[in-house]
């Protein structure tokens, strides 16, 4: 397989004037490139006179590159997002270059971890965790596959952690399916039983599911912590339905019987009492 040649820098740039080290891009000495080179030299001299650096030691950039690589980003992806050549990243990491131009260093330092684009490969750890979390909720391979567009076989391979990397489009599609399914339970008791036996963690266990260094918490603790918040939201939903004119029995049906009729009646009674009290106060 042949690799497409990289485009030449435009005439009038310092890069076109200098060429490259390997000789695949020879230096250009046309008048336009000479003017561009003189202008670049002038800018470097002005920065020097102002006390600004033209070059920074790679020690100021290398830790950031290591952090980006640890997040699963390839050198090519880092280079593309920084707007530099892949050779620049390679020369820094191998120590071939001892310094790097200030503007390139700034662009490299501006790259954020785990910013995967296009078909870039990324670690599969987040996708594996998502599939396993959905298994713990009782969702089937077929349901996950249908929403994500991945094959049923791919879902199985992810659940078994057979893949170490996954392309970004597949990971993004799976993340979309996860967002739809993570707040509801499925009906596949075999997957739910398997997840429990394997010790796989549910959605509430993860704060940053894509972070390879993330340690899962206790879903039971998370449920306790979120209990009051969920109860408040459910009360607001019931009160809204009551305001719309629905009777307690109708509200229970609309909530898929997730709340008992006695609880709904109590909330509706308290809401109506509060409404009467407000009307009396307003009339007084």
């Amino acid at each position: 397989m042949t690799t497409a040649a990289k485009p030449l820098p435009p005439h009038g740039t310092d890069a076109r004037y200098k060429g490259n080290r390997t000789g695949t891009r020879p230096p250009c000495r046309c008048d336009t490139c000479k003017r561009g080179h003189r202008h670049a030299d002038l800018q470097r001299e002005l920065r020097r006179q102002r006390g600004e650096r033209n070059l920074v030691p790679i020690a100021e950039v290398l830790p950031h590159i290591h952090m980006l690589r640890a997040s699963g980003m390839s050198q090519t992806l880092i280079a593309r997002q920084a707007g530099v050549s892949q050779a620049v990243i390679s020369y820094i990491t191998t120590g071939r270059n001892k310094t790097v131009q200030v503007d390139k260093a700034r662009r490299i330092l501006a790259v954020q971890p785990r910013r995967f684009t296009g078909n870039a490969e990324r670690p599969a750890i987040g996708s594996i965790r998502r599939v396993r979390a959905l298994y713990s909720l009782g969702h089937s391979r077929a349901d996950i596959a249908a929403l994500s567009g991945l094959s049923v076989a791919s879902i199985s391979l992810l659940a078994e952690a057979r893949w170490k990397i996954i392309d970004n489009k597949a990971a993004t599609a799976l993340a979309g399916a996860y967002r739809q399914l993570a707040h509801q339970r499925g009906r596949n008791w075999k997957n739910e039983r398997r997840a429990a036996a394997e010790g796989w963690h549910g959605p509430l266990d993860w704060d940053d599911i894509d972070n390879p260094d993330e340690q899962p918490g206790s879903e039971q603790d998370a449920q306790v912590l979120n209990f009051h918040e969920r109860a408040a939201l459910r009360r607001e939903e019931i009160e809204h339905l009551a305001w719309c004119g629905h009777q307690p029995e109708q509200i229970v049906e609309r909530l898929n019987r997730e709340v008992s009729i006695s609880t709904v009646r109590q909330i509706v009674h308290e809401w109506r009492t509060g409404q009467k009290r407000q009307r009396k106060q307003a009339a007084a």
Side-chain angles (χ1 to χ4, degrees), residues 141-159:
R141 296 178 302 163
D143 288 342
I144 302 171
L147 281 176
S148 65
L150 276 66
S151 67
V152 172
S154 296
I155 301 301
S156 293
L157 292 172
L158 285 168

Side-chain angles (χ1 to χ4, degrees), residues 92-110:
I92 293 173
T93 55
T94 60
R96 180 172 176 176
N97 281 0
K98 302 303 179 185
T99 58
V100 60
Q101 294 176 7
V102 171
D103 61 330
K104 292 181 180 179
R106 288 172 178 167
R107 294 202 299 270
I108 293 170
L109 292 171

Side-chain angles (χ1 to χ4, degrees), residues 1 7 25 57-59 70 81 108 144 224 232 250:
M1 182 178 67
R25 191 180 72 226
I58 63 169
Q81 296 199 8
I108 293 170
I144 302 171
V224 171
Q250 295 172 312

Side-chain angles (χ1 to χ4, degrees), residues 7-284:
L8 287 172
H11 285 287
T13 60
D14 202 31
R16 185 67 175 267
Y17 175 87
K18 291 180 177 179
N20 62 6
R21 297 181 180 183
T22 62
T24 57
R25 191 180 72 226
C28 178
R29 295 295 185 263
C30 71
D31 291 342
T32 303
C33 287
K34 288 179 181 178
R35 284 195 300 270
H37 175 61
R38 287 195 296 270
H39 178 72
D41 274 345
L42 177 61
Q43 293 300 314
R44 284 190 285 267
E45 178 60 21
L46 289 173
R47 286 196 294 268
R48 187 189 66 79
Q49 292 180 9
R50 290 195 298 263
E52 299 174 359
R53 297 181 298 177
N54 290 312
L55 300 172
V56 299
I58 63 169
E60 296 184 20
V61 181
L62 191 56
H64 188 72
I65 293 178
H66 286 329
M67 183 268 289
L68 296 176
R69 295 285 287 124
S71 77
M73 298 176 70
S74 66
Q75 288 188 9
T76 302
L77 180 59
I78 296 169
R80 183 164 67 245
Q81 296 199 8
V84 302
S85 69
Q86 193 272 335
V88 170
I89 306 299
S90 178
Y91 291 163
I92 293 173
T93 55
T94 60
R96 180 172 176 176
N97 281 0
K98 302 303 179 185
T99 58
V100 60
Q101 294 176 7
V102 171
D103 61 330
K104 292 181 180 179
R106 288 172 178 167
R107 294 202 299 270
I108 293 170
L109 292 171
V111 177
Q112 297 299 308
R114 303 203 306 275
R115 295 294 177 86
F116 301 98
T117 57
N119 281 324
E121 291 182 339
R122 59 189 296 178
I125 182 66
S127 298
I128 292 170
R129 289 170 174 174
R130 286 182 174 88
V131 170
R132 291 178 171 181
L134 294 179
Y135 271 37
S136 75
L137 293 176
H139 292 294
S140 67
R141 296 178 302 163
D143 288 342
I144 302 171
L147 281 176
S148 65
L150 276 66
S151 67
V152 172
S154 296
I155 301 301
S156 293
L157 292 172
L158 285 168
E160 295 168 7
R162 298 284 188 90
W163 290 353
K164 301 303 179 185
I165 57 173
I166 184 173
D167 71 75
N168 183 59
K169 286 188 176 180
T172 302
L174 182 60
Y178 176 79
R179 285 192 294 271
Q180 295 184 60
L181 296 173
H183 302 291
Q184 54 186 284
R185 301 200 70 85
R187 299 181 178 180
N188 192 305
W189 62 268
K190 290 184 178 180
N191 280 357
E192 188 172 354
R193 181 178 294 178
R194 179 185 179 187
E198 297 281 357
W200 293 345
H201 295 271
L204 293 178
D205 285 356
W206 303 104
D207 292 324
D208 185 357
I209 200 168
D210 288 303
N211 185 352
D213 297 324
E214 171 84 6
Q215 295 299 316
S218 168
E219 185 162 311
Q220 184 175 2
D221 292 342
Q223 289 173 340
V224 171
L225 291 174
N226 293 328
F227 173 78
H228 295 293
E229 181 180 355
R230 295 200 309 274
L233 291 174
R234 181 51 55 84
R235 173 177 284 270
E236 290 180 7
E237 188 175 9
I238 293 171
E239 290 176 351
H240 174 74
L241 291 172
W243 178 82
C244 292
H246 296 287
Q247 296 302 312
E249 292 76 12
Q250 295 172 312
I251 295 174
V252 171
E253 292 298 327
R254 290 181 68 90
L255 297 179
N256 297 320
R257 298 184 177 276
E258 294 180 2
V259 183
S260 67
I261 184 64
S262 60
T263 299
V264 172
R265 284 173 176 163
Q266 179 64 29
I267 292 174
V268 171
H269 172 73
E270 292 173 358
W271 175 79
R272 288 173 176 168
T273 302
Q275 292 294 302
K276 291 179 181 178
R277 185 181 304 114
Q278 290 178 10
R279 286 194 292 270
K280 288 181 179 179
Q281 292 174 352

